Amino acid sequence: MTSGTAISAQRTTALDVAAVRQDFPILRQRVHGKPLVYLDNAATTQKPQSVIDRLVRYYTEDNGNVHRGVHWLSERATDAYEEARDTVRRFLNAAESREIVFVRGSTEAINLVAQTYGRAHVGAGDEIVISTLEHHSNIVPWQLLCEETGARLRVIPISDSGELDLDAYEKLLSDRTRVVSVVHVSNALGTINPVDEIIRLAHRRGIPVLVDGAQAVAHMKVDVQALGCDFYALSGHKMLGPTGIGVLFAASALLEEMPPYQSGGDMIRSVTFERTLFNTPPYKFEAGTPDISGAIALGTAIDYLTQVGLDRIAAHEHELLEHGTDALSRIAGVRLMGTAKEKAGILSFVVDGVHPHDIGTILDRQGVAIRTGHHCCQPLMHRLAVPATARASLALYNTRDEIDALVTALGNVREVFA
Amino acid sequence: MMSDLQDLYQEVILDHNRRPRNFRALDDARKAEGYNPLCGDRLTVFLRVDDGVIKEATFQGSGCAISKASASLMTESVRGKTVGEAEALFERFHRTVTASPDAPVEDLGKLSVLAGVRQFPVRVKCATLAWYALRAAAEAREEVVSTE
């Protein structure tokens, strides 16, 4: 089935989840004899047929190396790759295509900023501000930078409901703050952070802000110019695209003066054994042959999300979140973790007397895929005083019936551990 | 309930999860911590060894039902054994929980109740965590052992 065609005609109406599900072949599977209920979208999303087809078509018809050849295939691959860059630019509403750097994922995007902008601007006694909600990928790169430079990591505290303490944040900002790096949507709790306010407060002091948007972009509209952020990181595989491709948006003023990240082919203008002149952004930051097919298929994934409509997706997921929150709250012994007022489609919970890992195994046998563990957020788990949580995370193709299947499967957990 | 889940969560296992035996620290004993970074399970095994014989084995920590029950059953079954016998038992136990689902279950006494883990390969680490910590404690290594 051609992606999006069934739904693009009904832009103003609610999302037609049955039509959307038709576009995702993996959802037709049965697991342990039960229909697959895929609720691990914060870990990775499934891919529509159009994305899968685009990968196949690339290798069937378009494969050539980019920015190198004068032959037809190289030109074709280059055009498609650069077109994908422009698709990302439009999607994020960035001003210029050169602000879009293809990387492996948001982890690499953050490492890139820490190792280039960070190394150039952070010194002994300086401070980097992150939050308690961060994924390890937005903690460890900064920790390494602090170790290298003698800078100090400062952490915005959260409330018990999982919301950032903005007053404390404002007090953390000082003349020594060199970077603020915060998550847009928490992968473990679903909290949507007020990144516009966070950016406004940092910019008042001239401090650049990186926003980790890995969990945001498939679930809400993001406009980097409206936000005014300096860096925005995202992962393709969490937004219906392939694994191994992601994006760093960096405002051109910063990108121009950043030293290179990795070095090698494609990122240079000229090389002699005495001296190398670097290419201009974004190529300066894309050493070696990139994930060409991944970038192109990411463009296809964005086309899909745009056709369905992010407003419609957000509304659909919000309705599921409300239904799930209500249903899980009614189960005795279940405690929801993360009850921020502004929340994306993530239901993190613990069950009295049952370890999340046991919940995960029992649910899996019912065909229900959730994530259990610390979600790469060990400091957050420590703050919440739990070793781990069970987490159901939603995407556009999930249904109310699937939430109900989760609730039923949780009944099995109670039965086993009665 | 499905039979493989019943095999995994047998009554003995649920009982040892609810009321773990030898769930306490030992002073002046050999100890080692086991840690599974995948799920955050963390437990410490304490051993009092006298003349090569395990006089007492205890544990503390947090983890899933499988790792807790396995630790509890282990502390019961290694008591009175030499360190070498305990190591041999671990090897047999490891074979049992990693065997193919249709292989016959070796008689390991109470430990055989954990044979159902073989149907859940991702949970083998939970069942063996305490044993790795026991091995490290017996060798009186101080570092945290990891199942990863």
Side-chain angles (χ1 to χ4, degrees), chain A residues 262-316:
Chain A
Q262 295 178 337
S263 53
D266 219 24
M267 54 81 71
I268 50 85
R269 176 149 290 156
S270 75
V271 179
T272 64
F273 284 116
E274 289 71 39
R275 183 155 183 253
T276 294
L277 286 177
F278 297 118
N279 206 338
T280 51
Y283 311 111
K284 181 179 171 182
F285 301 98
E286 294 180 0
T289 297
D291 181 359
I292 305 166
S293 62
I296 294 169
L298 172 60
T300 310
I302 289 174
D303 289 342
Y304 186 89
L305 286 168
T306 311
Q307 271 175 337
V308 178
L310 276 155
D311 287 342
R312 194 185 283 148
I313 292 169
H316 173 70

Side-chain angles (χ1 to χ4, degrees), chain A residues 355 357-358 361-362 365-366 374 378 388 415-418, chain B residues 2 4 9 14 35 37 39 41 63-65 119-120 123:
Chain A
H355 191 278
H357 219 151
D358 295 310
T361 290
I362 296 169
R365 294 290 145 151
Q366 306 294 323
H374 51 62
Q378 288 182 358
E415 199 182 303
V416 173
F417 283 87
Chain B
M2 276 162 293
D4 48 0
Y9 294 109
L14 296 173
Y35 175 53
C39 54
D41 285 5
C64 65
Q119 294 174 63
F120 298 82
R123 306 301 298 274

